Amino acid sequence: MNYGYDDPSLLDKLAANWQYIGAATVGLLWASSCLHGLNRNEAKVITSMFGKPKGVLSSEGLNVTAPWPLTRVFQTVSTAKQPVKDELYCKTSNNVTLNVPITTEYRIVDPEKFAYASLDPIGTMKDKVSRAVKSKINDLEYSAVQAEIGQITTAVKESLDAELLKEYGIELIDIIVDEPVPDSKIEEALNRREAAKLSEDAGKREGNAEALRIIELSKGVIEGAEKLNESAVKAGFVSAAQVIEMAQKHIAITDANQGRGNVVIDVGHSSNASFAAGMATQMRKEAAASTPKPS
């Protein structure tokens, strides 16, 4: 089958008209520079041949402009909602180093301003958000940071909204700060401190309970001493009033130290009665020792 490519007359015609064919091809390519296809959530910033802004193409589908070099596409910009992540290291007011993950959600609402405002508007936005969050955390103690994350992000967003929109054409949608994580060494020290605090609290609770028990024991000593009144007086060594006075002193000292976990009374005796008897015996010995011996 012969398609005519072997026909010398056709080859001669193509060779003779190559200039026209080339010109037509260039013309088609030049005309195609007028056509610009756009996807959803996409915009093209158009400039003149001298770089002067000429407008923005934002309609989804096929858009028509003057051909190159009268106009050209300076930048294609996504207008969809986008996230940018950052990781911030900062210190709290009580000198705890934190690792703070930040996600900033934004949308470009003015592509022309975005294209011409800065060489790196996204990087500029990220730096501004990080510095503002860091400043807020620097003013708080570690224990308050987690509780106030919501207030921090709201305050930062409100402080940057107008500036980012005016200067860079960026709408700040949200700032998300994940749970701040202390440096591993700091976290270990905090855990040790918390454990020590819990141990101290437990010790105070045990000390308070012991103090209360001692008070009850001492009150029992008074009752026991009153019961010993008759035998003590008959023995002639010590009066019950002295035993009661001594027990009351024990109670006063214990009351004064309650809440500090201080044990000031010997509670080695198994019962109130034996404790009172021991006290009476000791006082009788002291009384006998102080009595002058007959010459």
Side-chain angles (χ1 to χ4, degrees), residues 13-27:
K13 290 179 181 179
L14 292 174
N17 296 289
W18 69 268
Q19 299 94 333
Y20 302 106
I21 296 172
T25 302
V26 171

Side-chain angles (χ1 to χ4, degrees), residues 78-93:
S78 172
T79 57
K81 173 182 171 182
Q82 301 176 72
V84 60
K85 296 182 180 294
D86 195 12
E87 200 161 292
L88 176 67
Y89 289 89
C90 58
K91 287 188 176 183
T92 63
S93 63

Side-chain angles (χ1 to χ4, degrees), residues 142-163:
Y142 170 67
S143 59
V145 170
Q146 186 61 43
E148 298 191 24
I149 283 297
Q151 294 92 317
I152 291 173
T153 55
T154 299
V156 170
K157 182 179 182 301
E158 290 176 352
S159 68
L160 295 177
D161 264 338
E163 178 186 355

Side-chain angles (χ1 to χ4, degrees), residues 173-192:
I173 298 173
D174 198 8
I175 300 173
I176 303 167
V177 177
D178 293 336
E179 181 177 357
V181 180
D183 178 83
S184 57
K185 293 182 179 179
I186 297 294
E187 187 173 19
E188 183 180 347
L190 289 171
N191 290 338
R192 287 199 303 268

Side-chain angles (χ1 to χ4, degrees), residues 266-279:
D266 179 7
V267 294
H269 299 81
S270 60
S271 68
N272 295 342
S274 61
F275 189 16
M279 291 171 63

Side-chain angles (χ1 to χ4, degrees), residues 44-285:
K44 291 181 184 290
V45 180
I46 304 300
T47 66
S48 69
M49 62 186 302
F50 302 108
K52 184 179 179 179
K54 297 288 288 184
V56 177
L57 303 178
S58 57
S59 300
E60 184 179 356
L62 191 63
N63 293 259
V64 180
T65 65
W68 181 89
L70 299 177
T71 59
R72 62 189 182 90
V73 176
F74 177 71
Q75 187 173 348
T76 300
V77 175
S78 172
T79 57
K81 173 182 171 182
Q82 301 176 72
V84 60
K85 296 182 180 294
D86 195 12
E87 200 161 292
L88 176 67
Y89 289 89
C90 58
K91 287 188 176 183
T92 63
S93 63
N94 56 337
N95 209 36
V96 177
T97 303
L98 296 178
N99 175 18
V100 186
I102 304 174
T103 301
T104 304
E105 295 181 343
Y106 69 95
R107 181 186 293 111
I108 299 168
V109 295
D110 189 337
E112 186 172 285
K113 187 174 290 183
F114 176 84
Y116 286 97
S118 169
L119 292 176
D120 184 14
I122 300 303
T124 302
M125 176 194 69
K126 186 172 70 172
D127 289 343
K128 287 180 177 293
V129 170
S130 295
R131 285 199 300 269
V133 171
K134 181 178 181 180
S135 175
K136 297 291 184 183
I137 291 177
N138 288 159
D139 294 335
L140 297 173
E141 290 191 356
Y142 170 67
S143 59
V145 170
Q146 186 61 43
E148 298 191 24
I149 283 297
Q151 294 92 317
I152 291 173
T153 55
T154 299
V156 170
K157 182 179 182 301
E158 290 176 352
S159 68
L160 295 177
D161 264 338
E163 178 186 355
L164 291 174
L165 187 60
K166 180 181 178 181
E167 299 295 331
Y168 306 100
I170 297 174
E171 177 190 3
L172 192 57
I173 298 173
D174 198 8
I175 300 173
I176 303 167
V177 177
D178 293 336
E179 181 177 357
V181 180
D183 178 83
S184 57
K185 293 182 179 179
I186 297 294
E187 187 173 19
E188 183 180 347
L190 289 171
N191 290 338
R192 287 199 303 268
R193 187 175 70 178
E194 185 64 22
K197 184 176 183 300
L198 292 174
S199 178
E200 180 183 355
D201 291 344
K204 286 183 178 179
R205 287 194 297 272
E206 292 175 1
N208 290 345
E210 180 68 7
L212 290 173
R213 189 179 74 82
I214 292 170
I215 289 173
E216 292 302 317
L217 177 61
S218 298
K219 290 177 181 177
V221 168
I222 294 176
E223 295 174 359
E226 289 174 344
K227 292 178 181 179
L228 292 174
N229 178 56
E230 184 178 353
S231 58
V233 172
K234 288 180 179 179
F237 295 112
V238 65
S239 69
Q242 290 174 293
V243 177
I244 293 171
E245 181 183 0
M246 181 176 288
Q248 286 175 333
K249 288 180 180 179
H250 283 297
I251 292 174
I253 296 172
T254 305
D255 280 330
N257 288 278
Q258 184 185 0
R260 295 195 294 272
N262 298 327
V263 178
V264 296
I265 297 179
D266 179 7
V267 294
H269 299 81
S270 60
S271 68
N272 295 342
S274 61
F275 189 16
M279 291 171 63
T281 301
Q282 179 63 29
M283 295 177 72
R284 284 197 299 270
K285 289 180 179 179

Side-chain angles (χ1 to χ4, degrees), residues 6-42:
D6 294 332
D7 186 350
S9 59
L10 179 59
L11 292 175
D12 290 342
K13 290 179 181 179
L14 292 174
N17 296 289
W18 69 268
Q19 299 94 333
Y20 302 106
I21 296 172
T25 302
V26 171
L28 288 173
L29 292 174
W30 183 68
S32 68
S33 67
C34 301
L35 305 176
H36 307 275
L38 287 178
N39 298 319
R40 185 180 181 184
N41 295 323
E42 190 177 59

